[in-house]
Amino acid sequence: MNEGGVLTFIVPSSFLQNGRSFAKEQIVARGGELIEAYRLPEGIFEDTTIGTDIVVIQKTGNGHVGDFTNDAFFQENPSNILGEIRTRKNKYGKEETYVYANKEGVMEFIE
């Protein structure tokens, strides 16, 4: 990607929720900076029920791996979570968070 170039992609929410990884370190090593992200509600795409994020990276040389970990971006930008954060127990009995919203509300935001 050229300097100043922008890359937007869709990833599982776990990408920004989890800690450091080789992939995240490579993004930053190549000059990537997380400039924007949106967390979509579970089930927003008909073929999946997992949480999904839209992530925008720009090649600036100013990125930090910490921006890509432990939901740091969404802690600083809670309005980019397009729905209500709820908790539930997963199939193993462990409490987890997820984003709930009706699809119509999200589609209004996108349009």
Side-chain angles (χ1 to χ4, degrees):
M1 183 166 40
N2 294 330
E3 189 68 28
V6 175
L7 174 67
T8 302
F9 56 103
I10 298 172
V11 296
S13 293
S14 61
F15 181 77
L16 292 177
Q17 288 172 337
N18 296 333
R20 295 174 74 104
S21 71
F22 179 75
K24 295 172 189 178
E25 291 174 5
Q26 288 299 303
I27 290 170
V28 172
R30 291 189 167 102
E33 177 182 0
L34 179 61
I35 60 170
E36 197 68 73
Y38 295 93
R39 175 142 303 152
L40 304 177
E42 280 192 0
I44 194 69
F45 297 107
E46 291 182 21
D47 295 339
T48 183
T49 58
I50 64 169
T52 307
D53 294 345
I54 299 172
V55 177
V56 182
I57 297 170
Q58 184 171 27
K59 187 171 184 179
T60 64
N62 297 322
H64 303 281
V65 174
D67 295 339
F68 292 87
T69 61
N70 303 319
D71 272 342
F73 183 87
F74 293 114
Q75 289 175 16
E76 293 181 21
N77 302 280
S79 63
N80 286 31
I81 299 172
L82 306 182
E84 174 188 343
I85 298 174
R86 293 184 177 181
T87 59
R88 65 175 174 215
K89 291 193 186 261
N90 66 18
K91 63 182 177 180
Y92 304 107
K94 183 179 177 186
E95 192 169 283
E96 65 182 8
T97 61
Y98 69 102
V99 177
Y100 171 82
N102 63 35
K103 291 181 186 179
E104 291 78 23
V106 174
M107 296 312 292
E108 286 177 17
F109 175 82
I110 293 172
E111 293 172 350

